[in-house]
Amino acid sequence: MNVHSPLFKLQYAAANISHFYVDSVDDQKMVEDGIRGMLEKLDPHSTYSTPKEVKQMNEPLQGNFEGIGVQFNMVEDTLLVIQTISGGPSEKRGILAGDRIVSVNDTAIAGVKMPRDEIMRRLRGPKGTHVLVGVVRRDISDTLRFDIVRDKIPVKSIDATYMLRKGVGYIRIGSFGATTPDEFVESLKKLKKQGMKSLVLDLQENGGGYLQAAVEVASELLQEDALIVYTEGRNVPRNEYKAKGRGLFEKGKLIVLVDSYTASAAEIVSGAIQDHDRGIVVGRRTFGKGLVQRPIDLPDGSMIRLTIAHYYTPSGRCIQKPYEKGKQKDYAEDMLHRLKSGELMSADSVHFADSLKFYTLKDHRVVYGGGGIMPDEFVPLDTTKYSRFYRQLSAKSLIINASLHYIDNHRKELMQQYPVFADFNKTFEIPQSMIDDILAEAEKQKLTPKDDAELEQTLPVLRLQLKALVARDLWGLDEYFSIINETNDVVLRALGLL
């Protein structure tokens, strides 16, 4: 190796630190810190991940992990099963919603303040391995024991699919993973059978994921050979991604919902729909992540995600918002800047340079690049909707805990009284006793509304959120969103436009 090369300099420095430094040095950590230091001086999205972080990061995107297949919440230091995954190992062995898992392989996990990730680590494990769980079930005095054989558990990336109104379908995509295109096709088919003529595609809070998944989703909405996105970088030639044709929803009214946390792959879909004048984008300016990372696997299972290119919408807009190399803190605080500048309340406070002006491909409308996707229809953030008192109740988990307690005590009678969701949605009201319990617990924790007006402002939102949570635990996320969306300003604006 050339002794004058920068690489030799780095190795020489590391060798001397390891050999001569006054205290013992962890060579592995020193190398990891060195890699992180190099990447931090580049852009905000080039990162280093340890082998453990790589595994945790990939599981949701790959669309499965290996475990026992339960959705759960922690209630007063006890794991409460909300639902079993349909067809999963726990359901097959007879675990029920409402069960409390108190031990795993004869180690207590209830009442011992065990961290949530440690509990998950004990429940998860390779497919085909056995785990013995101890379960406490309402009305049964003995602890039940179940020998469960772990298996692959599917992770859904689509949060909700339902008919928003007659003829109007609604699909909310939480992230773009390996299974998203198949899930999306399934959702479209289901809604078409129910008479969908128009579609509201909700990408609010969708942080992105796989580029290819975004391309395949957009393919279902655009005509054959329509350009969806292209990537280009210093050492990476232009690479175009086009719609394959025979899309399930190439025609029909389409509205895409976005907000400040809509990023990356979700911005690719939004940008393509907007540039082709295929549909209307509604909400607030998206995050602005248009950097393409290449994963570089290192021998020990760790990984560098290195930015190699930008992505561009069909009209040629770069989605990436501006950043200064090495100034990660400023970049991370962009949402705070948007709030302070008034951008989230008024579209007029966003100013783009003329050099960032582009035109849509069909109707030649003006659109701007260089900082996310600006919606066609701006919906201001309603900062008055959630009172300070409501945010405190939520932050201290008083709302979620109250709903879990209520479901735990009334699941059987609720299922008998409301065999179908439509009846529940129409007639169920949160009992006053539940509200009183939350307010009493809040007082115990020294949380109080500043006056009667704040309490009056809090109660309707609190009742709605509780009802949605009860519906989620009895049925699922489709029902949760069908309740909560009735007060979502962005969803309501979409309905108004349709």
Side-chain angles (χ1 to χ4, degrees):
M1 186 187 287
N2 178 357
V3 295
H4 298 295
S5 75
L7 198 57
F8 177 80
K9 184 177 174 181
L10 187 66
Q11 285 186 334
Y12 188 68
N16 276 281
I17 292 167
S18 183
H19 190 69
F20 291 117
Y21 185 64
V22 62
D23 297 319
S24 61
V25 173
D26 181 337
D27 288 347
Q28 175 77 17
K29 187 173 183 308
M30 182 168 65
V31 169
E32 287 183 352
D33 289 345
I35 294 170
R36 283 197 176 97
M38 286 188 277
L39 294 173
E40 277 168 10
K41 298 297 179 203
L42 301 178
D43 64 273
H45 297 292
S46 289
T47 56
Y48 169 80
S49 304
T50 64
K52 184 183 175 187
E53 287 165 346
V54 170
K55 192 169 184 296
Q56 287 173 340
M57 192 166 54
N58 285 340
E59 276 176 353
L61 290 177
Q62 286 166 350
N64 63 66
F65 61 90
E66 292 170 356
I68 68 167
V70 292
Q71 290 177 8
F72 68 89
N73 242 313
M74 299 305 294
V75 181
E76 292 163 2
D77 207 15
T78 302
L79 185 156
L80 179 68
V81 176
I82 300 298
Q83 286 175 343
T84 52
I85 306 289
S86 181
S90 288
E91 185 189 66
K92 286 176 183 169
R93 290 294 294 143
I95 301 282
L96 302 174
D99 282 351
R100 289 169 165 74
I101 297 180
V102 293
S103 66
V104 179
N105 289 333
D106 295 327
T107 300
I109 63 167
V112 291
K113 300 275 184 242
M114 188 178 284
R116 189 188 177 105
D117 59 348
E118 175 62 18
I119 291 171
M120 287 172 74
R121 188 186 69 75
R122 288 170 185 271
L123 291 172
R124 287 184 181 183
K127 178 181 175 178
T129 56
H130 287 251
V131 59
L132 185 68
V133 298
V135 168
V136 171
R137 183 171 291 168
R138 182 170 282 280
D139 300 329
I140 293 179
S141 55
D142 297 335
T143 299
L144 307 172
R145 301 200 176 276
F146 295 87
D147 184 2
I148 301 171
V149 181
R150 296 183 180 102
D151 202 347
K152 279 206 178 303
I153 309 301
V155 177
K156 296 282 187 197
S157 61
I158 290 187
D159 294 335
T161 301
Y162 70 96
M163 292 299 285
L164 195 54
R165 294 288 185 275
K166 191 179 178 187
V168 182
Y170 171 91
I171 299 174
R172 182 183 172 99
I173 304 179
S175 63
F176 285 91
T179 61
T180 309
D182 289 342
E183 289 179 52
F184 189 61
V185 165
E186 214 176 280
S187 291
L188 286 173
K189 285 178 177 172
K190 176 183 167 184
L191 293 175
K192 280 182 132 185
K193 272 186 191 165
Q194 294 175 32
M196 173 178 71
K197 298 286 186 288
S198 308
L199 173 64
V200 174
L201 177 60
D202 193 346
L203 300 181
Q204 292 178 92
E205 297 178 10
N206 182 317
Y210 289 154
L211 166 66
Q212 194 55 46
V215 168
E216 289 184 44
V217 164
S219 263
E220 298 298 337
L221 306 168
L222 295 166
Q223 292 186 338
E224 190 167 9
D225 282 336
L227 179 63
I228 293 166
V229 66
Y230 67 90
T231 62
E232 204 167 12
R234 182 173 62 93
N235 281 321
V236 180
R238 177 169 166 141
N239 190 9
E240 295 187 344
Y241 297 83
K242 294 185 175 180
K244 296 171 186 168
R246 297 185 303 283
L248 272 177
F249 199 72
E250 285 180 20
K251 294 192 171 115
K253 285 186 180 174
L254 174 64
I255 292 186
V256 182
L257 311 184
V258 298
D259 66 9
S260 312
Y261 297 100
T262 302
S264 180
E267 291 176 287
I268 287 172
V269 175
S270 314
I273 297 303
Q274 192 177 53
D275 279 6
H276 286 289
D277 295 293
R278 169 67 187 90
I280 302 169
V281 178
V282 177
R284 292 179 285 281
R285 181 166 66 103
T286 61
F287 185 86
K289 181 187 181 296
L291 300 174
V292 183
Q293 278 82 45
R294 172 174 288 167
I296 299 166
D297 295 320
L298 301 178
D300 65 346
S302 59
M303 182 177 76
I304 289 173
R305 288 176 64 81
L306 189 67
T307 298
I308 57 161
H310 287 91
Y311 19 82
Y312 299 85
T313 71
S315 68
R317 292 185 282 167
C318 179
I319 294 167
Q320 180 60 41
K321 63 187 174 187
Y323 61 88
E324 275 188 67
K325 287 181 179 177
K327 295 208 170 175
Q328 318 291 49
K329 190 166 182 282
D330 284 354
Y331 188 83
E333 290 179 350
D334 179 47
M335 288 306 140
L336 192 59
H337 299 322
R338 291 192 197 189
L339 185 65
K340 284 181 176 173
S341 71
E343 178 192 327
L344 301 181
M345 286 66 172
S346 166
D348 297 337
S349 60
V350 187
H351 301 289
F352 292 98
D354 279 351
S355 59
L356 298 173
K357 189 186 283 187
F358 292 82
Y359 296 91
T360 62
L361 303 176
K362 181 169 161 254
D363 297 340
H364 306 292
R365 296 179 301 117
V366 172
V367 285
Y368 290 94
I373 303 297
M374 193 68 190
D376 304 303
E377 282 280 330
F378 178 81
V379 180
L381 179 69
D382 181 2
T383 53
T384 63
K385 185 174 178 182
Y386 298 108
S387 68
R388 178 198 57 88
F389 183 50
Y390 178 88
R391 288 197 297 271
Q392 286 178 328
L393 295 177
S394 182
K396 293 281 189 179
S397 301
L398 268 62
I399 300 171
I400 185 81
N401 286 345
S403 75
L404 291 169
H405 277 300
Y406 181 74
I407 277 287
D408 194 27
N409 291 321
H410 302 282
R411 185 184 299 273
K412 201 180 280 183
E413 67 197 66
L414 285 167
M415 292 307 286
Q416 284 170 350
Q417 195 174 349
Y418 304 105
V420 292
F421 170 68
D423 295 343
F424 173 90
N425 198 16
K426 201 182 289 182
T427 61
F428 176 79
E429 287 184 10
I430 291 295
Q432 185 58 39
S433 58
M434 201 172 171
I435 302 293
D436 293 341
D437 288 346
I438 291 173
L439 296 177
E441 183 57 36
E443 203 170 328
K444 255 192 235 170
Q445 297 193 27
K446 298 190 167 44
L447 305 176
T448 51
K450 65 173 186 275
D451 52 31
D452 288 347
E454 189 181 32
L455 181 61
E456 287 307 309
Q457 181 195 354
T458 302
L459 291 176
V461 189
L462 178 59
R463 287 181 192 280
L464 187 87
Q465 179 66 20
L466 287 167
K467 182 173 178 175
L469 287 169
V470 171
R472 182 199 67 180
D473 293 353
L474 288 175
W475 289 281
L477 280 172
D478 288 359
E479 289 74 17
Y480 173 85
F481 281 105
S482 66
I483 290 174
I484 222 74
N485 278 341
E486 291 304 314
T487 61
N488 183 308
D489 291 342
V490 182
V491 174
L492 295 176
R493 176 70 65 89
L495 281 170
L497 290 165
L498 286 170

